[in-house]
Amino acid sequence: MLLSLNWLSDYIKLKKTPEQIAERLTMSSIEVESVTREAEGFRNIVTGKVLACGKHPQADRLKVCRVSTGKEERTIVCGAPNVAAGQKVAVALPGAVVTSMKTGERVEIKATVLRGVESQGMICGEDELGLSGPSAGIMVLPDATPVGVGIAEYIGKTDVVIELAVLAHRGDCMGHLGVAREVAALFDVRLAERKYALPKASGKKKLHVTVEDGDLCGRYSGLIISGIDAKMQSPQWLQDRLVKVGERPINFVVDLTNYIMHDLGQPLHAFDYDQLRGQQITIRGSRDGEKIAVIGGGEYALPVGSIVIEDSERLVDLAGIKGAAVSSFSDKTTTLFLEAAAMQGVAIRRTSRRIGLRSEAVGYFEKGVDAQVLMNVLSKAFVVLKQHMPSVQLEGIVDVRKKIPAASKVKFRPERVAQLGGVNVPSTIAQNALTRLGFVIKKKSKSEWVISVPSWRRDVSMEEDLVEEVVRIIGYEKIPATLPIANIRAAAPDPQLRWQRRIKQLLADQGGFEVINFSFLSPQRLREIGQEAKDHVKVQNPLSEDQQYLRSELVSGLLNVARTNSQRGEGQVFFEFGRVFFPGSPDVVEKNQLTMCVVGEGAFLRAKGFAENVLEAMGVQASSTVLVRPDNWRECAYWNMFAEGQAADFREANVHLGVVSMVDPKVLKNFDLQKPVAFCTLYVDALVERARTVRQYAAFSRFPIIELDVAAFVPQRVTWAEIEKSVEDLREPIMQEVHLLDVYVGRGVPEGQRSIAFRVTFQSPDRTLRAEEADVVLAKVWKQLEQRFGAQIRK
Amino acid sequence: MHEHFTEIENRVRQHLPLVVDLSTWEKYYHETLGRRGELTQALRAVGEMPEAERREAGRMGNIVKQRVELLFSKRREELGGMQTQATTSIDVTLPGKRQVNGRLHPVSILKYQIWDIFQSMGFDVHETQEVESDFFNFQALNMPPDHPARDMQDTFYISDDVLLRTHATSFQGRVLKGATLPLRAISTGRCFRRDSDMTHTPMFHQFDGIMVDEKVTMADLKGTLQEVMSRLLEKEVKVRFRYSYFPFVEPGAEFDVSCSLCDGRGCRTCKGTGWLEMGGAGMIHPKVFGAVGINPKKYQGWAFGFGIERPFMIKHGVGDIRLLYENDVRFLEQF
């Protein structure tokens, strides 16, 4: 909302700078977004006198003037045909900003040389000062004009416009009167609020008004006014005021409704009385299937429960939002019905949002208007109208009082200011603060007051509200900063959060970069990773098509990060820890996942290694097995990301704890990734359930170990897991550990075979082993490998 | 004895190719040729043999030893041609060998600092659901349907009463419901609003905190925030409250901290005001207590909430929030 300080001075006299007012408003009432001085646009433009005016030596159409600006004289080259010696003029000095008549843009004036003559400024036309449209020459001021005065001051452009962001619950601060009331209370000055009276109505014209639902419209008031000159322009002062608050003057009647709204905070609506058929209107909630064509074009199907006004035949107004095209004030109107009503903000807001039609009035109604003052508002409107359009006559007055909220009374204990606000305020000061704001205090006792809330403060309904009123008037800055007194207690443990942090730190310490991607996926992204929309939670009102779905995996985001960073070095590791979402009934299923992506050579085993480190840190023993594509794999879109035969899962018993896989080359291509990429996803929720936080000590043997190595050629199809298991199957008590040393395929290894070397560790818990004991077991290992896999032991 | 030497040699031949790093090599060398190494022991055992066999066994043993030593030194060369420490000096100015250091995301770094600060003051930490019900995101926070304050938080909807939470404040109802009082807790996590420009992304992070007890005041809130913000920005800052409106607090305030860049003197970041807008704060509204079954006559409490990105950007001089979500390593590795 824009506020003019000159306008504000209709209500209060205050000797404070605009900045002081802005500061106090911001701290205690309404946030100030900007303070703009009108004079700012006229800086370095002063009145001057043309002392002499001669021909330019090089150009016929230019003149060289000698101009006095009071303290000094300067030479200015001027192209205006009407410039002459002896004139009083407006002079833009270097540094001034004026409107260029060539481009229409604001340009800064600089000292410059024009055809060989230096010009130290510019003599301005009204157009260049932004005071009018294109004008033929310079602005010539009256002879009596003093020289050397700032032009803004001279032409009265001294107002200051403040842009305010009124809080959502403070409808009373909409309009200049409302702000004046706040400023008066804040600075403790008197508010000059006038009551207006209406002349007696002739009673010649009537309008029968029915309000069906008092909740939708608490009070409906209006004036029937004849003798309207619909095309009359507003008086200049009114036009000026409207322009300052951002309105475009149209004609007097329309301007008047806007003026009153900005002045008193109550939207008005102007009907063409003769278009209200049957001389009757009904205010009611809309019914199913109703439509309305509004002024300015557009027909809207209304949601049920919108507030509409109907005459004997048709809808004539979408109340609080826009008037109907058929019945609104137009330049043919001779008799006006001017409405002021207390409409329900919630209904107006809801309809406005549903049909996507907003007007300034909506902003006023949704914050709340004061039903008590409607007749005073209309009276002022009539008084201003009559003053400038003497032909008007008041023919009729309508005032249906359906449901006007009673002045509320709130219990208030002054001690609560300290108890809640933490600041000690003597009760005399609290009393003064509340009184300044228009609250009426009745003291039941020293410690318990009953406060009557003024009609415009519908937001105040409980004791806490009053505490806030007192504290904001004395100033929030008076609240001291203290630390709370409480029993000490350790923060509650939360395994989920503890592991989140531990795992992320572990991966970062081992070279991983944590990334954070948006939780949204585009339809294109779904296609790129072979997933289907039906498996995803859909956002009903996305910001763009690209953010339509909630992610169900973290892989695609990481592949995108890999693409972003593809020029940034080798072997990168990225990971993200976050929520993924699945459609569920009734609720969306939300899960924690950790996914890492490893780029480059050896990606698979590196990814797996990271996962194993995480599992080890959490104390979870998981086995990894080859992922075999199930029959119903098409139901799980994830499969489209796994590279064939290069995927494994982690599980404990039969619970899946994660997957690790190379990314399918087709998917990689969609992300412009040339290097191999592996990803690993861990299902964090399942892991946290299994994590061991308290570990039990297991005694270890202090006797020497014997290590024996086994090297063998084994058929390609045999997995390491099978080999390991075959060794463990021997269940030799002295065999402690089987540990892979090397896998090799290449020169010297028979076709179809792999060379596998591993080390077996032997140890006894209670004695020193003899070498022969280990050798015996080693021979069994050899035999096992030969028998199970046809391995060829390399002795 | 002869066989024993051959066996050792064969084992070394077979095993050495499996040795893939120097430390394993050292260990294996030691186990074989060290003072107590297998081959050294075997050679020593020769001395205890009968006179007749000793000579031949000794000769055999020495040949094997030479061969084994050759095998080891060859393998050592293969492993990188490293020379022993004793023979050459080290260029100590060479960069150290190290593993790549990864990073936590900047938002995580700040988030965990927040956890640490609050946990040290005995606040529980929560991360509640991101897909939230209208009830916990709005209604329980005194924002009934069609409340104008909902406009301040343009919401992504999944269905009529399921949405992406617009603020971490949604945790309040969840945590307060059935809670043992007194209580102090914070919540951190992702939030979503339909907004996108230099200072807004449709997804962002917030943290939100409450303290509920019988006597906590707005002055305690101010003091706590001053303590927390000073720790977080790693600079002593002042907190000021400005009158404001959030439906879930009464009295309500916006809170600013003194600009940590110019110490309140006024700079570009604080737009010359000396203060940085941080978030909302106030005393928990009795209706919020009512919605979760807490008696507002007995308990009162304070609440606050603000973004994680903003203090991060201020602290580290980041001008554009979108940098945080591009995930470019050149950005990530700076923190």
Side-chain angles (χ1 to χ4, degrees):
Chain A
M1 192 185 87
L2 296 174
L3 180 88
S4 147
L5 285 190
N6 280 352
W7 191 338
L8 199 71
S9 68
D10 284 2
Y11 297 106
I12 44 169
K13 299 282 170 265
L14 187 61
K15 282 201 162 50
K16 296 282 175 193
T17 66
E19 284 69 27
Q20 285 170 320
I21 296 172
E23 165 81 10
R24 194 79 174 92
L25 278 174
T26 293
M27 293 304 293
S28 294
S29 178
I30 312 167
E31 186 172 354
V32 171
E33 297 191 324
S34 65
V35 176
T36 311
R37 289 177 153 78
E38 273 188 314
E40 196 69 9
F42 300 97
R43 214 151 41 122
N44 290 329
I45 305 176
V46 298
T47 57
K49 182 176 182 182
V50 183
L51 301 174
C53 180
K55 279 194 165 170
H56 191 290
Q58 312 285 331
D60 290 344
R61 302 213 340 242
L62 296 179
K63 286 172 187 146
V64 179
C65 305
R66 201 64 195 151
V67 179
S68 162
T69 54
K71 274 174 262 165
E72 52 178 11
E73 284 181 21
R74 51 180 69 219
T75 303
I76 294 175
V77 177
C78 181
N82 63 335
V83 65
Q87 283 173 340
K88 296 287 176 66
V89 291
V91 182
L93 306 176
V97 176
V98 300
T99 306
S100 158
M101 282 305 105
K102 278 190 207 125
T103 62
E105 281 167 20
R106 303 282 285 169
V107 290
E108 191 185 325
I109 296 295
K110 292 181 181 123
T112 174
V113 176
L114 284 170
R115 297 286 199 92
V117 178
E118 193 185 12
S119 181
Q120 301 159 316
M122 185 173 100
I123 302 176
C124 303
E126 289 187 18
D127 47 2
E128 286 154 337
L129 294 176
L131 299 173
S132 73
S135 50
I138 57 160
M139 178 168 71
V140 180
L141 304 172
D143 286 344
T145 305
V147 172
V149 177
I151 198 78
E153 194 185 324
Y154 178 70
I155 59 175
K157 293 282 181 185
T158 53
D159 200 0
V160 178
V161 174
I162 295 181
E163 190 181 359
L164 299 170
V166 175
L167 295 171
H169 68 320
R170 292 297 304 274
D172 65 294
C173 292
M174 298 295 280
H176 285 70
L177 171 63
V179 178
R181 207 185 270 133
E182 284 285 297
V183 175
L186 292 172
F187 290 98
D188 200 9
V189 293
R190 205 178 68 83
L191 179 75
E193 194 181 358
R194 249 185 79 184
K195 293 272 177 271
Y196 293 87
L198 286 173
K200 201 165 158 40
S202 70
K204 281 189 217 144
K205 293 180 191 281
K206 294 209 163 12
L207 184 67
H208 187 259
V209 176
T210 311
V211 176
E212 277 190 3
D213 184 345
D215 287 329
L216 292 181
C217 178
R219 182 177 183 185
Y220 192 88
S221 314
L223 306 177
I224 304 165
I225 304 167
S226 66
I228 292 289
D229 173 1
K231 289 180 182 166
M232 182 181 153
Q233 297 298 299
S234 300
Q236 193 60 43
W237 66 266
L238 198 152
Q239 293 196 25
D240 288 348
R241 282 196 168 181
L242 286 185
V243 168
K244 282 179 197 171
V245 298
E247 297 282 359
R248 192 167 52 90
I250 297 165
N251 58 53
F252 189 22
V253 172
V254 171
D255 292 352
L256 182 68
T257 60
N258 283 328
Y259 173 68
I260 293 293
M261 178 168 77
H262 283 278
D263 189 35
L264 303 177
Q266 170 66 45
L268 301 179
H269 183 56
F271 288 95
D272 185 331
Y273 172 78
D274 296 319
Q275 297 302 324
L276 299 176
R277 295 185 182 163
Q279 294 180 356
Q280 65 173 67
I281 54 170
T282 303
I283 296 95
R284 60 168 173 83
S286 64
R287 296 186 277 263
D288 200 16
E290 287 189 300
K291 286 185 192 161
I292 191 165
V294 299
I295 28 173
E299 189 180 31
Y300 293 87
L302 301 177
V304 173
S306 307
I307 311 175
V308 290
I309 304 180
E310 185 179 35
D311 64 11
S312 63
E313 295 173 18
R314 60 202 178 162
L315 294 186
V316 292
D317 188 30
L318 178 54
I321 302 175
K322 266 226 158 81
V326 291
S327 63
S328 290
F329 176 82
S330 75
D331 54 13
K332 295 187 190 67
T333 302
T334 55
T335 302
L336 168 73
F337 176 61
L338 189 63
E339 165 214 283
M343 304 285 186
Q344 190 208 81
V346 168
I348 288 171
R349 187 185 126 82
R350 184 166 46 214
T351 300
S352 167
R353 286 175 67 88
R354 294 263 170 89
I355 66 175
L357 179 64
R358 207 176 152 86
S359 64
E360 232 178 325
V362 174
Y364 282 73
F365 281 116
E366 71 181 10
K367 290 187 167 76
V369 297
D370 182 3
Q372 291 288 359
V373 301
L374 298 185
M375 280 322 288
N376 193 52
V377 168
L378 287 169
S379 303
K380 180 164 188 182
F382 185 79
V383 168
V384 176
L385 183 66
K386 180 84 182 169
Q387 194 183 344
H388 296 279
M389 197 190 280
S391 59
V392 296
Q393 292 296 327
L394 184 60
E395 306 287 1
I397 300 173
V398 168
D399 190 15
V400 179
R401 303 164 72 103
K402 193 78 177 180
K403 203 171 185 178
I404 300 175
S408 60
K409 296 211 187 310
V410 181
K411 189 180 83 172
F412 178 69
R413 292 160 291 170
E415 62 181 14
R416 290 298 286 160
V417 175
Q419 288 171 358
L420 215 53
V423 55
N424 285 312
V425 179
S427 65
T428 50
I429 290 182
Q431 182 175 351
N432 175 269
L434 291 172
T435 310
R436 271 152 67 180
L437 285 163
F439 295 92
V440 178
I441 301 168
K442 212 177 115 193
K443 289 186 184 172
K444 276 177 79 178
S445 69
K446 216 177 144 198
S447 60
E448 192 175 328
W449 305 351
V450 176
I451 311 286
S452 297
V453 178
S455 66
W456 59 87
R457 292 302 304 276
R458 298 275 306 284
D459 59 302
V460 173
S461 63
M462 56 180 192
E463 194 173 35
E464 289 80 359
D465 295 326
L466 291 166
V467 170
E468 179 177 84
E469 293 300 308
V470 171
V471 177
R472 78 183 176 95
I473 291 299
I474 65 152
Y476 272 27
E477 67 276 8
K478 300 267 166 39
I479 300 174
T482 58
L483 285 171
I485 293 168
N487 290 327
I488 60 164
R489 187 182 64 86
D494 183 327
Q496 176 68 247
L497 300 184
R498 170 198 157 133
W499 287 114
Q500 173 199 122
R501 186 172 184 176
R502 171 85 177 87
I503 294 168
K504 277 160 66 169
Q505 191 65 58
L506 181 137
L507 291 175
D509 289 346
Q510 298 191 353
F513 279 86
E514 188 196 4
V515 303
I516 296 182
N517 286 302
F518 286 173
S519 308
F520 304 108
L521 292 180
S522 66
Q524 191 199 335
R525 181 60 54 80
L526 293 185
R527 280 193 300 277
E528 285 171 354
I529 55 175
Q531 302 218 37
E532 289 187 34
K534 68 172 172 56
D535 302 319
H536 290 79
V537 178
K538 196 169 187 297
V539 178
Q540 297 303 316
N541 56 338
L543 207 49
S544 70
E545 290 292 292
D546 284 353
Q547 300 177 345
Q548 228 171 45
Y549 300 103
L550 295 188
R551 62 185 182 180
S552 65
E553 44 71 44
L554 304 178
V555 185
S556 61
L558 286 161
L559 291 177
N560 192 47
V561 171
R563 165 164 52 193
T564 303
N565 292 291
S566 58
Q567 304 304 316
R568 316 256 97 78
E570 295 288 313
Q572 295 153 326
V573 182
F574 300 103
F575 67 96
E576 181 169 11
F577 189 112
R579 306 272 169 87
V580 292
F581 308 89
F582 305 93
S585 69
D587 297 325
V588 170
V589 178
E590 189 172 330
K591 289 180 174 165
N592 285 296
Q593 284 191 357
L594 167 74
T595 296
M596 53 212 134
C597 250
V598 180
V599 184
E601 291 307 317
F604 182 91
L605 290 181
R606 289 180 65 209
K608 197 178 178 196
F610 280 115
E612 285 166 354
N613 278 342
V614 170
L615 292 167
E616 187 185 80
M618 298 182 81
V620 175
Q621 302 226 327
S623 58
S624 69
T625 52
V626 180
L627 262 177
V628 182
R629 191 171 281 222
D631 292 339
N632 61 348
W633 67 275
R634 280 181 200 285
E635 291 166 24
C636 170
Y638 246 114
W639 279 100
N640 289 314
M641 279 191 275
F642 296 146
E644 182 79 42
Q646 299 182 343
D649 68 351
F650 291 104
R651 58 173 82 189
E652 184 197 65
N654 269 325
V655 180
H656 288 272
L657 301 174
V659 291
V660 53
S661 173
M662 292 305 287
V663 178
D664 188 288
K666 290 194 295 293
V667 173
L668 279 189
K669 225 177 110 197
N670 291 331
F671 289 85
D672 314 315
L673 292 167
Q674 265 93 45
K675 292 175 201 150
V677 179
F679 76 92
C680 173
T681 293
L682 294 177
Y683 309 138
V684 177
D685 299 318
L687 282 176
V688 169
E689 272 175 39
R690 287 163 180 77
R692 278 192 301 160
T693 46
V694 180
R695 303 190 187 202
Q696 296 301 316
Y697 163 71
F700 56 90
S701 167
R702 292 178 187 273
F703 291 93
I705 57 168
I706 297 177
E707 289 177 339
L708 295 177
D709 295 346
V710 178
F713 295 132
V714 184
Q716 287 264 8
R717 61 178 163 75
V718 179
T719 65
W720 166 247
E722 289 169 308
I723 294 169
E724 191 179 25
K725 184 169 181 298
S726 75
V727 177
E728 283 163 358
D729 279 350
L730 292 169
R731 297 185 192 287
E732 290 291 339
I734 59 165
M735 198 163 68
Q736 294 298 323
E737 205 182 308
V738 179
H739 167 65
L740 181 73
L741 292 172
D742 183 48
V743 179
Y744 176 67
V745 181
R747 214 155 57 94
V749 179
E751 189 70 21
Q753 308 252 319
R754 292 198 289 176
S755 162
I756 289 190
F758 59 91
R759 180 168 296 171
V760 187
T761 310
F762 301 89
Q763 191 181 27
S764 158
D766 49 18
R767 63 195 169 85
T768 301
L769 288 182
R770 283 174 293 114
E772 297 76 35
E773 289 178 276
D775 288 340
V776 169
V777 175
L778 188 69
K780 287 185 187 172
V781 171
W782 290 348
K783 201 171 157 201
Q784 179 87 324
L785 295 182
E786 284 164 348
Q787 281 180 350
R788 278 215 187 164
F789 312 117
Q792 181 191 335
I793 308 296
R794 301 167 64 200
K795 292 177 187 170
Chain B
M1 204 63 217
H2 188 269
E3 279 165 18
H4 188 46
F5 283 129
T6 316
E7 188 198 323
I8 291 174
E9 184 185 341
N10 282 343
R11 199 157 350 105
V12 169
R13 278 183 191 282
Q14 186 194 332
H15 196 154
L16 259 183
L18 302 174
V19 170
V20 289
D21 61 80
L22 273 176
S23 67
T24 318
W25 183 95
E26 294 284 358
K27 188 167 169 253
Y28 191 37
Y29 182 87
H30 201 72
E31 285 167 8
T32 314
L33 290 161
R35 208 156 54 82
R36 293 205 182 147
E38 194 179 11
L39 191 57
T40 315
Q41 302 263 22
L43 280 166
R44 216 171 277 153
V46 170
E48 287 157 32
M49 289 173 75
E51 184 79 37
E53 295 169 33
R54 199 188 301 159
R55 199 183 152 84
E56 176 57 18
R59 196 183 62 86
M60 177 70 195
N62 280 320
I63 291 170
V64 167
K65 190 183 174 197
Q66 280 168 25
R67 283 210 300 254
V68 167
E69 264 174 332
L70 191 67
L71 285 171
F72 269 101
S73 69
K74 264 191 181 163
R75 185 62 187 153
R76 186 176 174 120
E77 274 170 37
E78 283 166 12
L79 286 177
M82 303 268 255
Q83 284 154 342
T84 53
Q85 201 177 319
T87 55
T88 51
S89 64
I90 299 169
D91 177 356
V92 294
T93 66
L94 288 174
K97 293 259 182 245
R98 53 184 210 152
Q99 206 184 332
V100 178
N101 263 343
R103 294 287 192 280
L104 289 181
H105 190 276
V107 167
S108 294
I109 295 172
L110 211 74
K111 181 173 100 169
Y112 295 138
Q113 281 173 1
I114 291 166
W115 287 12
D116 287 343
I117 294 166
F118 278 98
Q119 284 179 328
S120 74
M121 298 193 294
F123 282 69
D124 300 340
V125 178
H126 297 269
E127 289 206 328
T128 58
Q129 42 264 74
E130 293 168 10
V131 172
E132 189 51 278
S133 66
D134 189 89
F135 179 80
F136 283 114
N137 197 75
F138 287 129
Q139 291 168 49
L141 297 171
N142 192 27
M143 278 185 275
D146 294 302
H147 194 287
R150 288 189 178 206
D151 272 359
M152 295 190 284
Q153 312 183 354
D154 208 351
T155 310
F156 289 112
Y157 282 94
I158 302 301
S159 65
D160 284 349
D161 53 2
V162 178
L163 45 80
L164 294 176
R165 68 168 171 200
T166 57
H167 47 189
T169 317
S170 61
F171 99 106
Q172 290 186 10
R174 291 195 173 272
V175 168
L176 286 173
K177 207 168 182 176
T180 310
L181 300 177
L183 169 149
R184 45 190 194 271
I186 64 160
S187 165
T188 54
R190 290 181 184 218
C191 305
F192 305 84
R193 291 184 196 175
R194 303 181 73 246
D195 218 345
S196 186
D197 59 32
M198 275 269 285
T199 48
H200 299 89
T201 44
M203 185 204 86
F204 56 98
H205 294 75
Q206 266 198 348
F207 76 99
D208 195 280
I210 49 173
M211 177 163 184
V212 178
D213 207 330
E214 290 176 21
K215 284 179 179 163
V216 288
T217 70
M218 216 155 157
D220 297 338
L221 170 58
K222 200 176 196 178
T224 305
L225 286 172
Q226 195 154 295
E227 181 96 344
V228 168
M229 293 314 296
S230 294
R231 292 292 177 92
L232 196 57
L233 297 170
E234 298 183 53
K235 193 152 200 176
E236 287 303 315
V237 290
K238 289 260 171 284
V239 163
R240 78 168 185 188
F241 284 157
R242 273 183 292 119
Y243 168 69
S244 191
Y245 173 63
F246 301 95
F248 35 94
V249 285
E250 190 68 37
E254 292 225 31
F255 84 90
D256 304 339
V257 300
S258 55
C259 182
S260 55
L261 300 175
C262 62
D263 290 325
R265 282 189 295 271
C267 65
R268 244 181 59 195
T269 303
C270 62
K271 297 189 190 108
T273 63
W275 295 94
L276 299 165
E277 285 183 32
M278 275 294 153
M283 301 302 291
I284 297 172
H285 197 286
K287 283 193 179 157
V288 173
F289 284 138
V292 292
I294 291 173
N295 179 4
K297 292 212 158 56
K298 179 162 184 213
Y299 288 103
Q300 60 188 45
W302 48 247
F304 67 85
F306 57 100
I308 295 182
E309 286 86 350
R310 186 162 159 76
F312 174 81
M313 290 166 72
I314 288 164
K315 190 172 171 182
H316 299 281
V318 177
D320 186 342
I321 190 174
R322 289 169 294 202
L323 275 169
L324 284 165
Y325 299 113
E326 275 172 15
N327 298 308
D328 190 311
V329 167
R330 290 171 295 184
F331 177 76
L332 299 175
E333 70 187 1
Q334 294 187 30
F335 305 102

